Amino acid sequence: MSNPETVTLYQFSLCPFCNKVKAALDVTGVPYKKVEVSPRSKKELPELPEGTPQKVPIIEVGDTVIQDSTRILEYIEKEYTSGHGYRLEDEEEAKRSAEIEDWVDSEIIAALPTVIYGTWKEAAQAATVVARESNFGPLQGLGVRIGGSFVMHMISKRLLKRANRTDGHAWVKECLDSFEEWLGDKNFVVGDKLSMADVAMHGALSCVRDFPVFDQVEARPTMNSWFKRVSDIRTEHRVN
């Protein structure tokens, strides 16, 4: 699409999956508007088919409604080419990118809530970020800040237990170690071209830029250079 219509993104500001989608929209130069969804009531969501999970991210483009961050990234990759783009022509590189994008979902995105909401202090900081990013009224905003943070704090504990872990920060460190090893001396994680894997990882990490855990990224020269490289692409092509 050379002149893409505006996409509506239903999101929660500290949702790593939602930040993946924002990264993809920025990179490809697609105009979009954000609708902040209450993690409690979810009343802001569009009408969905019966039995469909009531969760973000969701994008709405005209009559098309798509859920699931990976499906959304695949849709954007296919439909929008006016910006930088992240489609790979090499089959092996594309396969590797898909594998790493899947790892981003299963590992780093699973780990991030445990360092955003892992302690009550972190949950309180998250509440401040949500208050800044949302456009809720005072009462609804208060409910989201208190109730949402409480829910996510509980979820972070369940995530650690499910992964048989006790330290979310150590988990994130392991993830960063792996990604940095795959990155090596390349510009991007599977080669010289930006891929869906880069977009996914950059989006996921973007949601913790206001948290102490991001110091782990900035303390790694290779990782930090990669992050800035992708940030520059997003800034150059971002329409919003």
Side-chain angles (χ1 to χ4, degrees):
M1 296 184 183
S2 57
N3 294 299
E5 57 186 307
T6 298
V7 171
T8 299
L9 168 63
Y10 297 88
Q11 63 143 34
F12 180 60
S13 57
L14 286 181
C15 162
F17 292 108
C18 299
N19 278 275
K20 276 177 58 182
V21 174
K22 284 188 283 191
L25 292 167
D26 287 343
V27 162
T28 47
V30 179
Y32 63 98
K33 61 179 181 180
K34 297 176 289 187
V35 176
E36 190 76 5
V37 175
S38 166
R40 300 179 70 194
S41 68
K42 302 180 182 178
K43 66 179 183 179
E44 297 82 9
L45 290 177
E47 185 174 347
L48 298 169
E50 186 175 351
T52 300
Q54 302 288 302
K55 61 181 182 180
V56 293
I58 296 173
I59 64 166
E60 192 172 38
V61 191
D63 295 330
T64 301
V65 176
I66 304 174
Q67 287 183 282
D68 182 80
S69 64
T70 298
R71 287 187 59 226
I72 293 171
L73 262 63
E74 291 171 346
Y75 174 84
I76 294 170
E77 179 187 44
K78 178 182 178 182
E79 296 293 331
Y80 300 108
T81 57
S82 58
H84 186 280
Y86 49 89
R87 184 183 306 166
L88 296 176
E89 300 299 332
D90 184 277
E91 290 186 7
E92 287 302 313
E93 288 185 351
K95 179 182 177 182
R96 181 57 178 153
S97 173
E99 291 171 350
I100 295 176
E101 193 268 348
D102 184 64
W103 170 88
V104 169
D105 285 0
S106 63
E107 288 295 325
I108 188 71
I109 284 184
L112 289 177
T114 69
V115 297
I116 299 177
Y117 302 96
T119 67
W120 288 114
K121 182 178 180 181
E122 289 166 342
Q125 185 174 0
T128 301
V129 174
V130 171
R132 185 186 68 212
E133 296 292 330
S134 72
N135 55 0
F136 297 131
L139 289 178
Q140 187 181 13
L142 181 63
V144 169
R145 291 195 296 272
I146 297 174
S149 294
F150 176 80
V151 169
M152 291 306 297
H153 179 63
M154 295 298 103
I155 289 175
S156 73
K157 289 184 175 296
R158 289 203 296 270
L159 286 170
L160 283 172
K161 184 176 181 181
R162 188 184 306 161
N164 196 28
R165 293 175 178 270
T166 58
D167 188 338
H169 289 268
W171 188 4
V172 171
K173 180 182 180 301
E174 288 176 23
C175 291
L176 295 179
D177 287 344
S178 294
F179 191 83
E180 193 169 45
E181 181 179 350
W182 299 331
L183 185 60
D185 59 0
K186 301 187 296 294
N187 284 334
F188 302 104
V189 72
V190 297
D192 293 328
K193 294 183 178 180
L194 185 77
S195 70
M196 185 186 294
D198 296 288
V199 171
M201 185 66 167
H202 192 275
L205 291 178
S206 293
C207 76
V208 295
R209 292 192 73 169
D210 292 323
F211 294 85
V213 69
F214 194 74
D215 293 345
Q216 287 196 41
V217 175
E218 295 182 314
R220 299 164 179 256
T222 298
M223 191 85 178
N224 195 36
S225 294
W226 165 85
F227 190 87
K228 289 180 177 178
R229 193 175 300 123
V230 181
S231 294
D232 288 344
I233 294 173
R234 290 182 65 174
T235 300
E236 180 183 356
H237 296 281
R238 182 182 295 122
V239 173
N240 290 44

